[in-house]
Amino acid sequence: MALIVQKYGGTSVGNPERIKNVAARVARCRQEGHKLVVVVSAMSGVTDSLIKLAKELMPLPNEREMDMLLATGEQTTIALTAIALHALNVPAISLTGAQAGIVTDGVHTKAKIKNITPKKVHALLDEGQVVIVAGFQGQTMEGQITTLGRGGSDLTAIALAAALKADLCQIYTDVDGVYTADPRLVPGARKLSEISYDEMLELASLGAKVMQSRSVEFAKKFGVVFEVRSSMNENPGTLVKEETRSMEDVVIRGVSLDKNQAKVTVVGVPDRPGTAARIFKALGDAAVNVDMIVQNVSHAAASPCTDLSFTVDKPDLLKAHKVIDSLKSEVAFREVTADENISKLSIVGVGMRSHSGVAAKMFDVLAKNGVNIEMISTSEIKISVVIELAKGETALRAIHEAFHA
Ligand code: ASP
Ligand code: MG
């Protein structure tokens, strides 16, 4: 008999039929003799519509009230899921985040979990109940309802699995698992049987959105092994866990394409200490998230100047442009240019640590496909390049084929 935490995302509980399907799955698992804690998200689209409703009243609603509002989405699904289980004669009880003992800090709409006291959950499990817990929410020490940031139900599940010392944590979603590339863009993409936390984090931050990054970081920190799998079929999913020796045998775990980036170039920046600090401080203060940064070699020894390029999220491009413009009198650069027609192509794999020539191979494939590289950045387990937007998908397929053939 195992203690299993299962999490079902918004699509998996998106309508009564789907909720019945979840209940049937849970019932079967309980039949096998397991103790079950089930974390559910709000029905798909509900959180978005609640946000929209509030914004019709006021553009920037009070965040405490937003938490009060958004928590209702998950509160609906826990009750419905419990009812669906009762209809199958399975004893089940729903708990809000607060009732499940999830205590957070007081940062409304993006609270962090401080601790979990799962006494009540344990007691209910011992009574033979299936315990349904609302994802995405908790409560402060003072009893205020909080939420954990968009996609936060994943975090609820991982954190509960850690606190309960669960034997297994399953994240049920609308995809079969983590793939070597987005199967909608790359027909030959394959489902991975396993992936390390770090690879998963790199792929997520590169736009391969399967799970909330914060919950993967949390799982890594507390060593929670979890499986990402589909609630719509019986296929085994992808196991996410600590890196093992054999994972290094594969050079590249996955390839991803991020079309949501834009490039800013500051031309003719005086090459002296403090310039980059000034520019990126201003961007940071404006909450513009900067990803890749490239600085050219300096020209003209007399009054050395350089070009500085960086990428930002596309929606932040205008803001970034304005911020740099406002520095003109202070930093004395020549001009700023912005380019939306780019994409970021990345390869990720812990195998890069022990295999050589990975970058060369990637650049060679791009060259053979007539793709020009505009920027390059690397980490220990990742190589990213900025290329022309129009060539992004062809390049993605070519790179995938080269590394996964
Ligand atoms: N319902 C919340 C959201 O849509 C939390 C979640 O789905 O994980 O962000
Ligand atoms: Mg969700």
Side-chain angles (χ1 to χ4, degrees), residues 18-300:
R18 294 251 166 101
I19 294 177
K20 278 187 194 169
N21 169 57
V22 166
R25 202 177 258 282
V26 170
R28 241 179 297 134
C29 190
R30 186 168 177 279
Q31 199 71 44
E32 289 163 15
H34 305 302
K35 285 185 172 178
L36 273 159
V37 174
V38 178
V39 175
V40 287
S41 293
M43 294 164 88
S44 57
V46 165
T47 308
D48 286 334
S49 5
L50 290 171
I51 293 174
K52 196 161 156 265
L53 269 175
K55 291 200 166 162
E56 275 171 32
L57 303 173
M58 192 179 176
L60 267 182
N62 175 280
E63 292 184 325
R64 179 202 179 270
E65 301 307 329
M66 282 313 283
D67 279 351
M68 187 62 89
L69 177 67
L70 297 190
T72 63
E74 272 70 14
Q75 205 169 321
T76 305
T77 37
I78 49 170
L80 292 175
T81 307
I83 292 167
L85 280 161
H86 295 165
L88 300 175
N89 288 319
V90 176
I93 181 167
S94 63
L95 299 179
T96 63
Q99 289 174 331
I102 298 173
V103 177
T104 73
D105 64 19
V107 184
H108 284 292
T109 76
K110 29 183 182 302
K112 286 203 169 65
I113 295 178
K114 286 175 79 169
N115 59 69
I116 300 183
T117 315
K119 234 172 75 189
K120 182 149 185 184
V121 177
H122 275 304
L124 291 166
L125 287 171
D126 289 343
E127 278 174 26
Q129 303 269 5
V130 172
V131 182
I132 321 283
V133 179
F136 175 57
Q137 53 172 265
Q139 121 177 319
T140 65
M141 225 103 85
E142 295 75 35
Q144 299 291 336
I145 294 177
T146 52
T147 63
L148 308 173
R150 297 307 305 271
S153 299
D154 289 335
L155 185 59
T156 303
I158 301 280
L160 267 175
L164 293 164
K165 301 193 173 57
D167 301 293
L168 187 60
C169 180
Q170 298 175 315
I171 306 288
Y172 283 93
T173 171
D174 49 0
V175 294
D176 265 2
V178 186
Y179 278 73
T180 51
D182 184 341
R184 286 166 304 182
L185 301 179
V186 182
R190 283 182 287 105
K191 186 173 61 190
L192 296 162
S193 56
E194 58 177 25
I195 187 170
S196 73
Y197 297 122
D198 288 333
E199 290 169 328
M200 179 86 173
L201 282 165
E202 288 283 18
L203 285 172
S205 68
L206 298 173
K209 271 268 157 264
V210 180
M211 263 181 84
Q212 190 207 35
S213 293
R214 251 177 84 194
S215 45
V216 182
E217 276 160 20
F218 193 101
K220 180 184 175 188
K221 191 165 161 196
F222 292 94
V224 179
V225 177
F226 62 92
E227 185 190 13
V228 180
R229 56 185 293 169
S230 168
S231 63
M232 321 287 170
N233 60 46
E234 296 301 321
N235 302 340
T238 303
L239 215 55
V240 186
K241 57 183 200 176
E242 199 44 72
E243 186 179 330
T244 58
R245 247 275 146 68
S246 66
M247 282 185 179
E248 286 202 21
D249 296 346
V250 178
V251 185
I252 295 305
R253 190 81 53 210
V255 184
S256 87
L257 182 70
D258 184 354
K259 296 192 225 170
N260 193 35
Q261 298 264 311
K263 184 176 76 170
V264 179
T265 303
V266 195
V267 184
V269 184
D271 191 4
R272 53 169 180 264
T275 311
R278 186 67 201 95
I279 290 175
F280 292 104
K281 166 93 171 42
L283 291 165
D285 289 346
V288 173
N289 207 357
V290 174
D291 182 22
M292 287 162 94
I293 303 175
V294 169
Q295 183 182 309
N296 281 341
V297 215
S298 211
H299 359 271

